[in-house]
């Protein structure tokens, strides 16, 4: 029986909730979706009201955007008319999920210095993206990552790989966000877990299906402004308590923390260098190649605006990570010893993830608490909207328009499929969010980054930089890398040992990225070098044209509108 | 368009520009990669270096300051690349494209 229950989990579906007492569970879930919890006194009305304000503004924008979304180009890339600064803010919105705020603060709160690793390392993706990818991506791309690859590679096999991996990426990331939203809504708003799924599911379908990329961009932008200003305000209040002396803040953290002076020093989070390096490589290469972020490069008119977007995004995200330093240490200083936020045993209420939220209350009372709660939830909504439009583009543009209709579909048909895809992803998000309620989803957090670093980064990098890459090499390496990553994750410590309960993991490392990326790169290179087919020769020959286009932007989408 | 690509590809100026651009990209990538990996490797192998206080008057440690420094350096170098690209590469690029477009058909 135990084995049977584990089987669906192996495929990442986690539908076991539905298998057993399905009917009763569905009834409870449906009931919880639309009703308030029994204890209505726990509802945080300020937070709910402020979130409602965000919803109203975003729906107004969607209404405005819907009238401007007439063609597929409007839908996928806002017609390529977004400015660099706006796009930079929107990228910042896509990048900073609520994990970046609450998760990093939680890690600093519980481990001190080691938590900083998670705000420094992921940032490495930004310079890399700028120096190696941004210009070329903008000059080669149209709507999706697969467009870049198929400039030179055979259409069907390359799109199958990239769009398939994109969907796996989107769905894995989506589940993490939906489960996070459910937990957040019960902790912060005092509402039912299932209600979060419905609110997010409905909102993103409305944003994406009607407002397309224009609405999604402005939702991200507003969320980024709210998140940055909320975090700035908390840090301002924290520093004010110490007369703006950094030393005062750190001294207070040292005094409060059980780690004492160790809170400022490297600890034991990285006992294993292989895991540490693998995790670092995964965060940096994976972060540099995420489809929902890179897609944003196509919403600006040219390479220059793409660079401006990255400049703004990198500065804002860097600034945000610096704020998380202070929020984490601020939480140690003001939450750790404050009985208001501790239970009878002296443990932080709601877990370390609530550290940033409690800090908001300690600094600015109920009003700031409500604001930060609303921002945290809006953050999830915006990230899910960005993922949904990336997923809907992969389905409608890559799979439907290019693979099934071979580029013969009309604009209206593709738009219709995009909207159906957005609706399906919304429904899927709700179903998966409820199916995964209360489960250990640690492996799902690693999955999207592993896919991104194992498939997207090698594919994009080699197709733009290495003349000899052929379709056969790319596709073989991509699929093999993806398969090896999933196998290593399944037999690794998180799933095999922690979730399935085997005594020892078959693969010792929590982060397989270092190995799967190597498999991907080596296979792509070796198979390409062995590929002597006619198609391979044509692909080699077309590298020069692609190279000129990637460097000059000549023939790039949106750049030649005389 | 293909004809135009060929003509640009035949222009030595174009290849000189590509080389300069790629030299800058890779040099900056190397600096950033070095700074991030040094930071991680010190944490993994020489944590004691990062555990020291920055000075006698402060409790700020070398590790925390270096972490902030790594982020600031990455943002600055991103700025350097963009400044070079806007200042120099774009203008050169326009010149090369205009030259190829105005060349008489062969």
């Amino acid at each position: 029986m135990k084995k049977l229950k584990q089987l669906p989990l192996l495929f990442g579906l986690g539908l076991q909730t539905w298998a057993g007492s399905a009917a009763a569970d569905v009834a409870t879930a449906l009931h919880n979706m639309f009703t308030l919890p029994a204890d209505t006194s726990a509802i945080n009305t300020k937070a709910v009201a402020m979130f409602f304000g965000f919803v109203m503004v975003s729906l107004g924008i969607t209404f405005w955007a819907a009238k401007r979304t007439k063609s597929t180009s409007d839908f996928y890339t806002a017609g390529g008319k977004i400015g660099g600064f706006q796009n930079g803010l929107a990228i910042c919105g896509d990048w900073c999920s609520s994990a970046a705020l609450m998760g990093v603060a939680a890690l600093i709160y519980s481990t001190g210095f080691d938590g900083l690793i998670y705000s420094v390392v992921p940032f490495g993706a930004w310079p890399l993206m700028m120096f190696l990818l941004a210009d070329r991506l903008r000059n080669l791309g149209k709507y999706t990552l697969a467009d870049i690859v198929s400039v030179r590679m055979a259409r069907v096999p390359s799109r199958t790989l990239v769009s398939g991996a994109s969907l796996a990426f989107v769905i894995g990331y989506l589940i993490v966000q939906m489960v996070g939203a459910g937990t957040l809504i019960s902790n912060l708003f005092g509402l039912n877990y299932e209600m979060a799924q419905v609110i997010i599911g409905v909102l993103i379908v409305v944003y994406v299906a009607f407002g397309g990329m224009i609405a999604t961009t402005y939702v991200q932008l507003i969320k980024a402004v709210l998140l940055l200003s909320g975090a700035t305000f908390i840090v301002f209040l924290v520093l004010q308590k110490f007369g703006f002396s950094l030393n005062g803040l750190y001294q207070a953290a040292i005094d409060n923390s059980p780690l004492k002076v160790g809170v400022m020093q490297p600890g034991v989070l990285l006992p294993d260098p292989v895991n540490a390096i693998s995790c670092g490589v995964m965060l940096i290469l994976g972060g540099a190649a995420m489809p929902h972020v890179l897609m944003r490069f196509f919403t600006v008119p040219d390479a220059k605006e793409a660079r401006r977007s990255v400049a703004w995004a990198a500065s804002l995200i860097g600034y945000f990570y610096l704020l998380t330093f202070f929020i984490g240490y601020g939480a140690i200083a003001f939450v750790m010893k404050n009985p208001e936020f501790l239970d009878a045993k002296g443990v932080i209420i709601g877990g370390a993830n609530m550290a940033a939220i409690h800090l908001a209350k300690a600094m600015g009372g109920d009003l700031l608490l409500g604001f930060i709660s609303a921002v945290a939830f809006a953050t999830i909504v915006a990230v899910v909207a960005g993922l949904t439009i990336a997923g809907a583009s992969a389905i409608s543009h890559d799979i439907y328009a290019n693979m099934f209709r071979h580029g013969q579909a009309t604009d209206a048909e593709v738009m219709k499929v995009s909207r159906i895809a957005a609706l399906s992803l919304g429904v899927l998000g709700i179903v998966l969010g409820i199916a995964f309620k209360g489960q250990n989803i640690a492996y799902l957090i690693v999955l999207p980054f592993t896919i991104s670093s194992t498939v997207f980064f090698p594919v994009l990098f080699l197709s733009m930089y290495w003349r000899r890459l052929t379709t056969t090499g790319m596709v073989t390496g991509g699929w093999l890398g993806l398969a090896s990553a999933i196998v290593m994750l399944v037999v690794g410590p998180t799933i095999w040992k922690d979730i399935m309960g085997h005594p020892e993991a078959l693969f010792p490392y929590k982060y397989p990225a270092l190995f799967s990326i190597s498999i991907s790169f080596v296979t792509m290179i070796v198979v390409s070098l062995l590929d002597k087919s006619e198609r391979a020769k044509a692909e080699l020959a077309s590298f020069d044209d692609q190279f000129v286009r990637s460097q000059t932007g000549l023939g790039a989408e949106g750049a030649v509108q005389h | 368009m293909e004809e135009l690509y060929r003509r640009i590809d035949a222009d030595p100026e174009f290849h000189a520009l590509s080389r300069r651009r790629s030299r800058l990209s890779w040099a900056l990538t190397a600096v950033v990669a070095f700074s991030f990996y040094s930071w991680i490797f010190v944490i993994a192998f020489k944590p004691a270096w990062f555990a020291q206080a920055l000075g006698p008057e402060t409790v700020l440690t070398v590790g925390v300051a270096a972490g902030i420094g790594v982020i600031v350096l990455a943002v600055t170098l991103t700025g350097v690349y963009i400044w070079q690209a806007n200042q120099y590469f774009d203008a050169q690029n326009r010149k090369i494209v205009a030259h190829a477009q105005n060349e008489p058909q062969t």
Side-chain angles (χ1 to χ4, degrees), chain A residues 113 120 131 135 247 250-251 264-265 281 307 311 325 545 551-552 554, chain B residues 5-6 21 25 36-37 51 57-61 68 81-82 86 90 93:
Chain A
F113 184 93
V120 172
F131 304 151
D135 290 8
N247 207 40
Y250 289 128
Q251 189 62 55
M264 303 290 292
Q265 300 169 346
V281 170
R307 283 195 295 267
F325 274 47
D545 284 359
Q551 294 276 316
T552 59
L554 210 61
Chain B
Y5 287 152
R6 301 281 136 74
R21 191 201 282 261
S25 295
F36 274 82
Y37 276 97
E57 258 101 76
T58 176
V59 289
L60 188 68
T61 54
I68 296 175
Y81 178 85
I82 290 161
N86 290 351
D90 274 359
N93 188 29

mmCIF file of all heavy atoms in Angstrom, chain A residues 113 120 131 135 247 250-251 264-265 281 307 311 325 545 551-552 554, chain B residues 5-6 21 25 36-37 51 57-61 68 81-82 86 90 93:
data_model
loop_
_atom_site.group_PDB
_atom_site.id
_atom_site.type_symbol
_atom_site.label_atom_id
_atom_site.label_comp_id
_atom_site.label_asym_id
_atom_site.label_seq_id
_atom_site.Cartn_x
_atom_site.Cartn_y
_atom_site.Cartn_z
ATOM 1 N N PHE A 113 24.646 34.288 9.489
ATOM 2 C CA PHE A 113 25.473 34.520 8.309
ATOM 3 C C PHE A 113 25.135 33.590 7.151
ATOM 4 O O PHE A 113 25.068 34.016 5.998
ATOM 5 C CB PHE A 113 26.953 34.343 8.674
ATOM 6 C CG PHE A 113 27.891 34.642 7.545
ATOM 7 C CD1 PHE A 113 28.435 35.901 7.404
ATOM 8 C CD2 PHE A 113 28.220 33.656 6.627
ATOM 9 C CE1 PHE A 113 29.288 36.181 6.351
ATOM 10 C CE2 PHE A 113 29.075 33.932 5.567
ATOM 11 C CZ PHE A 113 29.610 35.197 5.441
ATOM 12 N N VAL A 120 23.224 36.348 -1.597
ATOM 13 C CA VAL A 120 24.369 36.750 -2.431
ATOM 14 C C VAL A 120 24.456 35.885 -3.686
ATOM 15 O O VAL A 120 24.515 36.391 -4.803
ATOM 16 C CB VAL A 120 25.691 36.673 -1.632
ATOM 17 C CG1 VAL A 120 26.885 36.903 -2.552
ATOM 18 C CG2 VAL A 120 25.696 37.691 -0.512
ATOM 19 N N PHE A 131 26.248 39.996 -19.413
ATOM 20 C CA PHE A 131 27.463 39.912 -20.216
ATOM 21 C C PHE A 131 27.326 38.914 -21.354
ATOM 22 O O PHE A 131 27.858 39.120 -22.435
ATOM 23 C CB PHE A 131 28.662 39.489 -19.351
ATOM 24 C CG PHE A 131 28.904 40.383 -18.166
ATOM 25 C CD1 PHE A 131 29.484 39.888 -17.017
ATOM 26 C CD2 PHE A 131 28.553 41.722 -18.210
ATOM 27 C CE1 PHE A 131 29.711 40.705 -15.921
ATOM 28 C CE2 PHE A 131 28.768 42.549 -17.117
ATOM 29 C CZ PHE A 131 29.341 42.038 -15.972
ATOM 30 N N ASP A 135 22.009 40.837 -24.913
ATOM 31 C CA ASP A 135 22.011 41.431 -26.257
ATOM 32 C C ASP A 135 21.613 40.406 -27.313
ATOM 33 O O ASP A 135 20.764 40.646 -28.160
ATOM 34 C CB ASP A 135 23.412 41.934 -26.631
ATOM 35 C CG ASP A 135 23.809 43.150 -25.832
ATOM 36 O OD1 ASP A 135 23.074 43.495 -24.893
ATOM 37 O OD2 ASP A 135 24.851 43.752 -26.150
ATOM 38 N N ASN A 247 26.314 49.240 13.142
ATOM 39 C CA ASN A 247 26.932 48.524 14.238
ATOM 40 C C ASN A 247 25.934 48.255 15.364
ATOM 41 O O ASN A 247 25.919 47.187 15.963
ATOM 42 C CB ASN A 247 28.116 49.346 14.750
ATOM 43 C CG ASN A 247 29.157 48.465 15.373
ATOM 44 O OD1 ASN A 247 29.430 47.381 14.862
ATOM 45 N ND2 ASN A 247 29.711 48.907 16.483
ATOM 46 N N TYR A 250 23.740 45.298 14.324
ATOM 47 C CA TYR A 250 24.437 44.011 14.412
ATOM 48 C C TYR A 250 24.709 43.641 15.869
ATOM 49 O O TYR A 250 24.605 42.479 16.247
ATOM 50 C CB TYR A 250 25.731 44.046 13.600
ATOM 51 C CG TYR A 250 25.470 44.057 12.111
ATOM 52 C CD1 TYR A 250 26.035 45.008 11.275
ATOM 53 C CD2 TYR A 250 24.643 43.098 11.536
ATOM 54 C CE1 TYR A 250 25.781 45.011 9.915
ATOM 55 C CE2 TYR A 250 24.372 43.102 10.188
ATOM 56 C CZ TYR A 250 24.946 44.060 9.371
ATOM 57 O OH TYR A 250 24.690 44.064 8.034
ATOM 58 N N GLN A 251 25.035 44.653 16.704
ATOM 59 C CA GLN A 251 25.277 44.371 18.115
ATOM 60 C C GLN A 251 24.010 43.815 18.773
ATOM 61 O O GLN A 251 24.069 42.829 19.510
ATOM 62 C CB GLN A 251 25.737 45.660 18.833
ATOM 63 C CG GLN A 251 26.217 45.422 20.250
ATOM 64 C CD GLN A 251 27.440 44.500 20.293
ATOM 65 O OE1 GLN A 251 28.452 44.761 19.656
ATOM 66 N NE2 GLN A 251 27.335 43.400 21.034
ATOM 67 N N MET A 264 27.234 36.471 12.967
ATOM 68 C CA MET A 264 27.921 37.250 11.935
ATOM 69 C C MET A 264 28.998 36.432 11.217
ATOM 70 O O MET A 264 29.746 36.950 10.417
ATOM 71 C CB MET A 264 28.604 38.478 12.558
ATOM 72 C CG MET A 264 27.682 39.415 13.315
ATOM 73 S SD MET A 264 26.591 40.304 12.215
ATOM 74 C CE MET A 264 27.770 41.362 11.365
ATOM 75 N N GLN A 265 29.099 35.143 11.562
ATOM 76 C CA GLN A 265 30.209 34.340 11.031
ATOM 77 C C GLN A 265 29.701 33.115 10.281
ATOM 78 O O GLN A 265 28.641 32.590 10.595
ATOM 79 C CB GLN A 265 31.105 33.881 12.198
ATOM 80 C CG GLN A 265 31.688 35.028 12.969
ATOM 81 C CD GLN A 265 32.336 34.590 14.258
ATOM 82 O OE1 GLN A 265 32.145 33.471 14.709
ATOM 83 N NE2 GLN A 265 33.096 35.480 14.862
ATOM 84 N N VAL A 281 26.062 26.623 -8.617
ATOM 85 C CA VAL A 281 25.991 26.560 -10.076
ATOM 86 C C VAL A 281 24.532 26.547 -10.526
ATOM 87 O O VAL A 281 24.142 27.227 -11.476
ATOM 88 C CB VAL A 281 26.737 25.300 -10.587
ATOM 89 C CG1 VAL A 281 26.462 25.077 -12.054
ATOM 90 C CG2 VAL A 281 28.224 25.443 -10.347
ATOM 91 N N ARG A 307 19.235 45.999 -22.557
ATOM 92 C CA ARG A 307 20.326 46.251 -21.610
ATOM 93 C C ARG A 307 19.859 47.165 -20.486
ATOM 94 O O ARG A 307 20.181 46.951 -19.318
ATOM 95 C CB ARG A 307 21.516 46.895 -22.329
ATOM 96 C CG ARG A 307 22.344 45.936 -23.143
ATOM 97 C CD ARG A 307 23.672 46.551 -23.517
ATOM 98 N NE ARG A 307 23.519 47.695 -24.393
ATOM 99 C CZ ARG A 307 23.552 47.651 -25.722
ATOM 100 N NH1 ARG A 307 23.757 46.520 -26.324
ATOM 101 N NH2 ARG A 307 23.395 48.735 -26.442
ATOM 102 N N ALA A 311 19.936 46.508 -16.554
ATOM 103 C CA ALA A 311 20.595 47.429 -15.626
ATOM 104 C C ALA A 311 19.661 47.772 -14.474
ATOM 105 O O ALA A 311 20.042 47.706 -13.302
ATOM 106 C CB ALA A 311 21.009 48.697 -16.357
ATOM 107 N N PHE A 325 19.318 41.536 3.937
ATOM 108 C CA PHE A 325 20.356 41.475 4.987
ATOM 109 C C PHE A 325 19.805 42.106 6.263
ATOM 110 O O PHE A 325 19.840 41.529 7.338
ATOM 111 C CB PHE A 325 21.579 42.332 4.601
ATOM 112 C CG PHE A 325 22.612 41.659 3.744
ATOM 113 C CD1 PHE A 325 22.253 40.942 2.626
ATOM 114 C CD2 PHE A 325 23.960 41.767 4.060
ATOM 115 C CE1 PHE A 325 23.222 40.345 1.828
ATOM 116 C CE2 PHE A 325 24.927 41.174 3.269
ATOM 117 C CZ PHE A 325 24.559 40.466 2.145
ATOM 118 N N ASP A 545 25.164 33.628 -40.398
ATOM 119 C CA ASP A 545 24.029 34.549 -40.487
ATOM 120 C C ASP A 545 23.470 34.835 -39.095
ATOM 121 O O ASP A 545 23.186 35.979 -38.748
ATOM 122 C CB ASP A 545 22.913 33.946 -41.352
ATOM 123 C CG ASP A 545 23.266 34.021 -42.825
ATOM 124 O OD1 ASP A 545 24.358 34.562 -43.136
ATOM 125 O OD2 ASP A 545 22.472 33.540 -43.649
ATOM 126 N N GLN A 551 24.690 39.865 -33.279
ATOM 127 C CA GLN A 551 25.572 40.965 -32.919
ATOM 128 C C GLN A 551 25.016 42.317 -33.340
ATOM 129 O O GLN A 551 25.177 43.308 -32.642
ATOM 130 C CB GLN A 551 26.945 40.770 -33.588
ATOM 131 C CG GLN A 551 27.707 39.573 -33.085
ATOM 132 C CD GLN A 551 28.476 39.884 -31.818
ATOM 133 O OE1 GLN A 551 29.119 40.914 -31.709
ATOM 134 N NE2 GLN A 551 28.395 39.005 -30.846
ATOM 135 N N THR A 552 24.386 42.369 -34.522
ATOM 136 C CA THR A 552 23.976 43.674 -35.048
ATOM 137 C C THR A 552 22.510 43.990 -34.765
ATOM 138 O O THR A 552 22.104 45.147 -34.825
ATOM 139 C CB THR A 552 24.163 43.729 -36.573
ATOM 140 O OG1 THR A 552 23.373 42.688 -37.162
ATOM 141 C CG2 THR A 552 25.615 43.536 -36.958
ATOM 142 N N LEU A 554 20.288 43.167 -36.741
ATOM 143 C CA LEU A 554 19.688 43.309 -38.066
ATOM 144 C C LEU A 554 18.732 42.144 -38.312
ATOM 145 O O LEU A 554 19.117 40.993 -38.183
ATOM 146 C CB LEU A 554 20.824 43.271 -39.092
ATOM 147 C CG LEU A 554 20.607 44.051 -40.362
ATOM 148 C CD1 LEU A 554 20.419 45.518 -40.061
ATOM 149 C CD2 LEU A 554 21.802 43.853 -41.271
ATOM 150 N N TYR B 5 23.699 40.073 -44.534
ATOM 151 C CA TYR B 5 24.475 39.342 -43.521
ATOM 152 C C TYR B 5 25.847 38.983 -44.080
ATOM 153 O O TYR B 5 26.862 39.127 -43.414
ATOM 154 C CB TYR B 5 23.749 38.055 -43.096
ATOM 155 C CG TYR B 5 22.525 38.257 -42.227
ATOM 156 C CD1 TYR B 5 21.489 37.333 -42.247
ATOM 157 C CD2 TYR B 5 22.418 39.341 -41.362
ATOM 158 C CE1 TYR B 5 20.368 37.495 -41.448
ATOM 159 C CE2 TYR B 5 21.310 39.507 -40.562
ATOM 160 C CZ TYR B 5 20.282 38.587 -40.611
ATOM 161 O OH TYR B 5 19.170 38.735 -39.812
ATOM 162 N N ARG B 6 25.874 38.472 -45.332
ATOM 163 C CA ARG B 6 27.153 38.068 -45.951
ATOM 164 C C ARG B 6 28.101 39.265 -46.014
ATOM 165 O O ARG B 6 29.284 39.161 -45.722
ATOM 166 C CB ARG B 6 26.949 37.562 -47.388
ATOM 167 C CG ARG B 6 26.042 36.388 -47.558
ATOM 168 C CD ARG B 6 26.724 35.064 -47.218
ATOM 169 N NE ARG B 6 25.815 34.251 -46.414
ATOM 170 C CZ ARG B 6 24.730 33.615 -46.922
ATOM 171 N NH1 ARG B 6 24.479 33.643 -48.215
ATOM 172 N NH2 ARG B 6 23.930 32.943 -46.134
ATOM 173 N N ARG B 21 33.896 43.218 -28.170
ATOM 174 C CA ARG B 21 32.719 43.030 -27.332
ATOM 175 C C ARG B 21 32.849 41.740 -26.526
ATOM 176 O O ARG B 21 32.573 41.719 -25.333
ATOM 177 C CB ARG B 21 31.482 42.948 -28.239
ATOM 178 C CG ARG B 21 30.179 43.022 -27.498
ATOM 179 C CD ARG B 21 29.076 42.448 -28.329
ATOM 180 N NE ARG B 21 28.598 43.344 -29.380
ATOM 181 C CZ ARG B 21 27.489 44.086 -29.244
ATOM 182 N NH1 ARG B 21 26.815 44.062 -28.131
ATOM 183 N NH2 ARG B 21 27.071 44.839 -30.228
ATOM 184 N N SER B 25 33.008 41.069 -22.473
ATOM 185 C CA SER B 25 32.038 40.177 -21.825
ATOM 186 C C SER B 25 32.737 39.115 -20.996
ATOM 187 O O SER B 25 32.391 38.887 -19.838
ATOM 188 C CB SER B 25 31.185 39.441 -22.864
ATOM 189 O OG SER B 25 30.408 40.343 -23.566
ATOM 190 N N PHE B 36 32.400 35.799 -6.857
ATOM 191 C CA PHE B 36 31.367 34.969 -6.216
ATOM 192 C C PHE B 36 31.963 33.679 -5.682
ATOM 193 O O PHE B 36 31.690 33.279 -4.554
ATOM 194 C CB PHE B 36 30.239 34.645 -7.203
ATOM 195 C CG PHE B 36 29.192 35.708 -7.250
ATOM 196 C CD1 PHE B 36 29.372 36.853 -8.007
ATOM 197 C CD2 PHE B 36 28.027 35.590 -6.516
ATOM 198 C CE1 PHE B 36 28.422 37.848 -8.040
ATOM 199 C CE2 PHE B 36 27.063 36.588 -6.540
ATOM 200 C CZ PHE B 36 27.270 37.713 -7.308
ATOM 201 N N TYR B 37 32.769 33.015 -6.542
ATOM 202 C CA TYR B 37 33.301 31.731 -6.093
ATOM 203 C C TYR B 37 34.313 31.887 -4.972
ATOM 204 O O TYR B 37 34.368 31.047 -4.075
ATOM 205 C CB TYR B 37 33.810 30.898 -7.271
ATOM 206 C CG TYR B 37 32.650 30.170 -7.884
ATOM 207 C CD1 TYR B 37 31.995 30.663 -9.003
ATOM 208 C CD2 TYR B 37 32.134 29.040 -7.254
ATOM 209 C CE1 TYR B 37 30.875 30.033 -9.513
ATOM 210 C CE2 TYR B 37 31.015 28.401 -7.749
ATOM 211 C CZ TYR B 37 30.391 28.895 -8.886
ATOM 212 O OH TYR B 37 29.275 28.272 -9.356
ATOM 213 N N ALA B 51 35.216 35.235 9.741
ATOM 214 C CA ALA B 51 34.635 35.385 11.069
ATOM 215 C C ALA B 51 35.208 36.581 11.821
ATOM 216 O O ALA B 51 34.647 37.030 12.809
ATOM 217 C CB ALA B 51 34.855 34.109 11.878
ATOM 218 N N GLU B 57 36.459 48.757 16.393
ATOM 219 C CA GLU B 57 35.281 49.502 16.847
ATOM 220 C C GLU B 57 33.962 48.873 16.399
ATOM 221 O O GLU B 57 32.898 49.358 16.742
ATOM 222 C CB GLU B 57 35.319 50.934 16.315
ATOM 223 C CG GLU B 57 35.750 51.930 17.358
ATOM 224 C CD GLU B 57 37.200 52.306 17.158
ATOM 225 O OE1 GLU B 57 37.462 53.081 16.245
ATOM 226 O OE2 GLU B 57 38.066 51.790 17.899
ATOM 227 N N THR B 58 34.034 47.838 15.562
ATOM 228 C CA THR B 58 32.806 47.358 14.939
ATOM 229 C C THR B 58 32.629 45.861 15.145
ATOM 230 O O THR B 58 33.601 45.143 15.359
ATOM 231 C CB THR B 58 32.807 47.691 13.433
ATOM 232 O OG1 THR B 58 31.640 47.132 12.851
ATOM 233 C CG2 THR B 58 34.020 47.132 12.725
ATOM 234 N N VAL B 59 31.359 45.418 15.106
ATOM 235 C CA VAL B 59 31.097 43.980 15.172
ATOM 236 C C VAL B 59 30.849 43.427 13.773
ATOM 237 O O VAL B 59 30.626 42.242 13.590
ATOM 238 C CB VAL B 59 29.878 43.666 16.069
ATOM 239 C CG1 VAL B 59 30.228 43.905 17.521
ATOM 240 C CG2 VAL B 59 28.657 44.469 15.658
ATOM 241 N N LEU B 60 30.844 44.318 12.763
ATOM 242 C CA LEU B 60 30.656 43.892 11.380
ATOM 243 C C LEU B 60 31.819 42.980 10.991
ATOM 244 O O LEU B 60 32.975 43.330 11.181
ATOM 245 C CB LEU B 60 30.635 45.133 10.471
ATOM 246 C CG LEU B 60 30.266 44.907 9.016
ATOM 247 C CD1 LEU B 60 28.804 44.510 8.897
ATOM 248 C CD2 LEU B 60 30.523 46.164 8.204
ATOM 249 N N THR B 61 31.496 41.791 10.462
ATOM 250 C CA THR B 61 32.585 40.865 10.134
ATOM 251 C C THR B 61 33.024 41.027 8.678
ATOM 252 O O THR B 61 32.294 41.572 7.850
ATOM 253 C CB THR B 61 32.160 39.405 10.345
ATOM 254 O OG1 THR B 61 30.967 39.173 9.612
ATOM 255 C CG2 THR B 61 31.935 39.096 11.810
ATOM 256 N N ILE B 68 28.279 41.951 1.000
ATOM 257 C CA ILE B 68 27.718 43.196 0.463
ATOM 258 C C ILE B 68 28.586 43.658 -0.708
ATOM 259 O O ILE B 68 28.082 44.052 -1.761
ATOM 260 C CB ILE B 68 27.640 44.274 1.567
ATOM 261 C CG1 ILE B 68 26.677 43.819 2.669
ATOM 262 C CG2 ILE B 68 27.193 45.620 0.985
ATOM 263 C CD1 ILE B 68 26.602 44.746 3.871
ATOM 264 N N TYR B 81 29.525 47.344 -18.276
ATOM 265 C CA TYR B 81 29.238 46.733 -19.576
ATOM 266 C C TYR B 81 28.239 47.577 -20.362
ATOM 267 O O TYR B 81 28.420 47.850 -21.543
ATOM 268 C CB TYR B 81 28.685 45.317 -19.379
ATOM 269 C CG TYR B 81 28.322 44.663 -20.685
ATOM 270 C CD1 TYR B 81 29.283 43.990 -21.439
ATOM 271 C CD2 TYR B 81 27.032 44.752 -21.202
ATOM 272 C CE1 TYR B 81 28.972 43.420 -22.655
ATOM 273 C CE2 TYR B 81 26.709 44.189 -22.421
ATOM 274 C CZ TYR B 81 27.678 43.521 -23.139
ATOM 275 O OH TYR B 81 27.365 42.968 -24.354
ATOM 276 N N ILE B 82 27.189 48.009 -19.664
ATOM 277 C CA ILE B 82 26.144 48.771 -20.346
ATOM 278 C C ILE B 82 26.692 50.108 -20.842
ATOM 279 O O ILE B 82 26.412 50.537 -21.963
ATOM 280 C CB ILE B 82 24.945 48.974 -19.400
ATOM 281 C CG1 ILE B 82 24.256 47.634 -19.207
ATOM 282 C CG2 ILE B 82 23.974 50.006 -19.933
ATOM 283 C CD1 ILE B 82 23.387 47.564 -18.003
ATOM 284 N N ASN B 86 26.597 51.088 -24.716
ATOM 285 C CA ASN B 86 25.852 52.251 -25.194
ATOM 286 C C ASN B 86 26.776 53.299 -25.791
ATOM 287 O O ASN B 86 26.474 53.933 -26.791
ATOM 288 C CB ASN B 86 25.064 52.887 -24.049
ATOM 289 C CG ASN B 86 23.920 52.008 -23.614
ATOM 290 O OD1 ASN B 86 23.619 51.011 -24.272
ATOM 291 N ND2 ASN B 86 23.296 52.353 -22.515
ATOM 292 N N ASP B 90 27.334 50.291 -29.741
ATOM 293 C CA ASP B 90 26.163 50.603 -30.552
ATOM 294 C C ASP B 90 26.507 51.510 -31.727
ATOM 295 O O ASP B 90 26.040 51.302 -32.848
ATOM 296 C CB ASP B 90 25.077 51.260 -29.684
ATOM 297 C CG ASP B 90 24.208 50.214 -28.995
ATOM 298 O OD1 ASP B 90 24.465 49.014 -29.219
ATOM 299 O OD2 ASP B 90 23.295 50.604 -28.243
ATOM 300 N N ASN B 93 28.441 49.637 -34.304
ATOM 301 C CA ASN B 93 27.526 48.699 -34.941
ATOM 302 C C ASN B 93 26.694 49.403 -36.020
ATOM 303 O O ASN B 93 26.560 48.913 -37.139
ATOM 304 C CB ASN B 93 26.626 48.130 -33.837
ATOM 305 C CG ASN B 93 25.767 47.002 -34.351
ATOM 306 O OD1 ASN B 93 26.165 46.297 -35.275
ATOM 307 N ND2 ASN B 93 24.600 46.856 -33.778
#
